[in-house]
């Protein structure tokens, strides 16, 4: 019975493990972590499977599921060309309204059109295009959908329409809703150009490289270029004038600091000479070189009025040699008096008079120099910020678009001009009008706190498509991981349940075996008890038998003892008074052994001893003696 139970449990265990192994082998699904490159290089079916997985089409359960056909796709493309408007980029909604109640899009078409919708929405929102602009260019989504249905991977094949979309995005970045007539005109002309492009697409004669939209942008670029050039010329001239004013003031203040000069010379430096420096810097092509030249000339001029020892002939000779050349240089550089010859002659004569008095050793009155007011906002052209912050500003290039807040509203501005000398940046808006002006330091701080952010320019929709596909792949991977986790959990539960069943079966088997062992043990104990009882009864009977024999055994009786396959005969010599011990002697009458009555019974019972002769009883011996006496009489 126990052998049968063991086989049954073992067979059940192996059978359960086999079923579990087979179920795991069937339920495990191989997940392929696709990358974008492998997906693009793979067959269209894998790409479509991804789109259908992420954009499932919900259908009534009563509606049969039909496998998409090429004919259905061609019908979708034909239906697209019949549309002439879109409701807020709702491509599927507009398209499904044109379908018959009994018709529906195939799963492939539905998934691809959903992908196109999301692609276009992401493209517009990521480049911060205004809602009005998005509505104006929304019909371009029809062309995107047509290209997608015709070739699911056109986004990554350098199609000309991708460049056209990038050009459209570049020209629409800075537009924002306002009462400006130029903005209204741009939006209206953009709508007309898009409409003309859609019409040519519907007619099948579209040229993606030269069309109504590219012509409109070319005209717009020509007009904006003229406006920007005018603004650059005007603003750069104004900035250069401010910069020149600051640089001239800096030269005068630096060189007159802690100097003692005649009052007339101070007046000359603060007026005629300061104005001349400004004019010379404005007219120079290299402001830095001109700045250092005029700075050196100013330093030399002020040096000639310093007090010196009349006994110092070397200094006197040096001043004397400089005066002729200095007078000529001053006359050539006094640009503020160029058209006032009388005033120029008067100023030079006063300077010469002061120099002659110095050479003659005459005393002249010298007073501390006063500094010119230098409150110009450009008076500190050298930024005090760290190089890491300034690096972001240096990386910006003209025509770069940035987004910042004007009166609480985010607006796009275009970097039009960078002036490294004055470290000023000029920005324009979408219609070529000045929007704002910042120093390098101001812009660096705004970039650091994200109040101004660069906008990606000339961004291609394929980049947006790449980002979207990566998100879809991540979504698919997360779903697969979730399903795998659920499957793993299910397998774990199944394994736990199986282990529990096996444990229960093992426990039941162990309990059955324990019960069987207990029964066997009880039976063995009962049999042993019975055997012990039988042996005890037999022993008792044997003991009674040999006890009766010993009762007849008398002195002089002979017992044969067996030991080590040898025997010896001994005669009972005496029985102790209590009758418990028997004393035996050998043939020579010498004591051989003394054995207890119970031990002697055991030896007789086990065959270790044998009674040969019971001996005579005393009464019998006495009777024999009496009888013998009688016979003799």
């Amino acid at each position: 019975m126990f052998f049968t139970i063991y086989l049954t449990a073992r067979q059940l265990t192996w059978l359960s493990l086999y079923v579990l192994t087979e179920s795991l082998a069937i339920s495990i699904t191989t997940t392929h972590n696709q990358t974008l490159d492998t997906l693009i290089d793979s067959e269209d079916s894998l790409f479509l499977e991804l789109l259908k997985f992420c954009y499932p089409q919900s259908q009534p359960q009563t509606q049969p599921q039909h496998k998409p056909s090429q004919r259905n796709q061609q019908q979708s493309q034909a239906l697209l060309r019949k549309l002439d408007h879109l409701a807020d980029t709702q491509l599927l909604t507009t398209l499904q309204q044109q379908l018959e109640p009994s018709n529906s899009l195939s799963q492939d078409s539905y998934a691809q059109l959903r992908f196109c919708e999301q692609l276009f929405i992401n493209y517009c929102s990521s480049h911060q295009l205004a809602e009005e602009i998005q509505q104006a260019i929304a019909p371009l989504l029809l062309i995107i959908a047509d290209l997608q249905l015709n070739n699911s991977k056109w986004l990554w094949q350098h199609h000309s329409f991708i460049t056209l979309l990038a050009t459209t995005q570049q020209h629409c970045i800075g537009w924002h809703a306002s009462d400006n007539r130029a903005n209204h005109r741009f939006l209206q002309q953009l709508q007309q150009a898009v409409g003309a492009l859609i019409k040519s697409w519907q007619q099948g004669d579209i040229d993606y490289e030269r069309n109504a939209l590219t012509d409109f942008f070319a005209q717009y670029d020509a007009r904006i270029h003229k406006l920007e050039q005018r603004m650059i010329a005007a603003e750069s001239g104004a900035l250069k004038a401010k910069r020149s004013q600051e640089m001239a003031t800096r030269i005068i203040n630096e060189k007159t600091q802690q100097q003692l000069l005649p009052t007339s010379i101070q007046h000359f430096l603060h007026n005629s000479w300061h104005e001349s420096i400004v004019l010379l810097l404005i007219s120079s092509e290299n402001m830095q070189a001109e700045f250092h030249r005029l700075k050196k000339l100013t330093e030399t001029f002020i040096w000639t009025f310093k007090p010196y020892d009349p006994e110092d002939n070397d200094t006197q000779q040096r001043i004397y040699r400089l005066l002729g050349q200095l007078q000529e240089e001053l006359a050539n550089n006094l640009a503020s008096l160029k058209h006032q010859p009388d005033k120029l002659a008067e100023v030079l004569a006063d300077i010469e008079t002061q120099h002659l008095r110095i050479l003659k050793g005459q005393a002249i009155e010298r007073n501390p120099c006063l500094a010119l007011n230098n409150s110009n906002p450009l008076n500190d052209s050298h930024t005090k910020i760290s190089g890491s912050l300034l690096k972001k500003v240096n990386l910006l290039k003209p025509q770069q678009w940035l987004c910042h807040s004007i009166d609480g509203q985010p607006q796009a501005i275009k970097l039009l001009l960078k002036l490294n000398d004055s470290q000023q940046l000029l920005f324009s808006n979408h219609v070529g009008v000045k929007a704002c002006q910042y120093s390098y330091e101001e812009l660096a701080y705004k970039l650091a706190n994200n109040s101004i952010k660069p906008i990606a320019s000339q961004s291609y929709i394929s980049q947006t498509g790449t980002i979207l596909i990566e998100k879809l792949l991540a979504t698919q991977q997360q779903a697969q991981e979730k399903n795998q986790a659920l499957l793993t959990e299910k397998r774990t539960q199944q394994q736990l349940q199986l282990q529990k069943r096996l444990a229960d079966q093992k426990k039941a088997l162990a309990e059955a075996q324990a019960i069987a062992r207990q029964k066997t043990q009880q039976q063995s104990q009962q049999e042993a008890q019975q055997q012990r009882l039988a042996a005890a009864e037999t022993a008792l009977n044997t003991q009674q038998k040999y006890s009766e024999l010993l009762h007849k055994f008398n002195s002089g009786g002979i017992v044969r003892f067996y030991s080590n396959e040898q025997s010896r005969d001994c005669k009972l010599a005496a029985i102790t008074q209590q009758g418990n011990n028997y004393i035996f002697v050998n043939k020579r009458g010498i004591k051989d052994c003394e054995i207890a009555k119970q031990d002697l019974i055991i030896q007789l019972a086990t065959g270790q001893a044998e009674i040969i002769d019971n001996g005579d009883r005393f009464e019998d011996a006495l009777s024999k003696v009496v009888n013998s006496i009688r016979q003799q009489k």
Side-chain angles (χ1 to χ4, degrees), residues 492-504:
T492 303
Q493 293 297 329
Q494 292 175 347
Q495 290 176 352
L496 292 176
Q497 292 176 0
L498 176 60
Q499 292 175 358
K500 186 177 182 302
R501 288 196 300 269
L502 293 177
D504 292 342

Side-chain angles (χ1 to χ4, degrees), residues 67-192:
K67 185 178 180 180
S69 62
Q70 184 66 24
R71 179 184 178 188
N72 201 342
Q73 178 175 314
Q74 291 176 350
Q75 289 177 346
S76 299
Q77 289 180 276
L79 190 59
L80 281 173
R81 293 182 180 273
K82 295 180 180 180
L83 299 179
D84 54 1
H85 71 283
L86 285 179
D88 298 331
T89 68
Q90 297 298 319
L91 175 61
L92 278 171
T93 302
T94 307
L95 190 62
Q96 289 175 339
Q97 291 174 353
Q98 306 299 320
L99 291 172
E100 297 293 335
S102 59
N103 294 334
S104 64
L105 296 172
S106 67
Q107 291 185 359
D108 284 358
S109 298
Y110 178 86
Q112 291 190 86
L113 294 179
R114 278 284 308 277
F115 171 72
C116 291
E117 275 187 352
Q118 192 63 52
L119 174 68
F120 192 75
I121 291 173
N122 291 359
Y123 184 70
C124 293
S125 60
S126 63
H127 299 96
Q128 302 177 358
L129 298 181
E131 293 184 3
E132 294 83 354
I133 293 294
Q134 294 185 34
Q135 294 176 0
I137 65 175
L140 298 179
L141 180 54
L142 296 171
I143 301 179
I144 294 176
D146 181 57
L147 293 172
Q148 180 67 35
L149 291 177
N150 189 55
N151 180 2
S152 61
K153 300 176 185 176
W154 70 279
L155 277 174
W156 299 277
Q157 295 178 356
H158 307 290
H159 197 281
S160 300
F161 187 63
I162 296 176
T163 304
L164 180 59
L165 285 174
T167 303
T168 303
Q169 173 261 341
Q170 177 68 15
H171 285 81
C172 296
I173 285 180
W175 192 94
H176 64 278
S178 67
D179 296 332
N180 190 298
R181 289 188 300 174
N183 280 349
H184 286 295
R185 183 173 61 250
F186 176 87
L187 183 60
Q188 183 179 7
Q189 292 176 349
L190 176 64
Q191 292 171 340
Q192 294 174 354

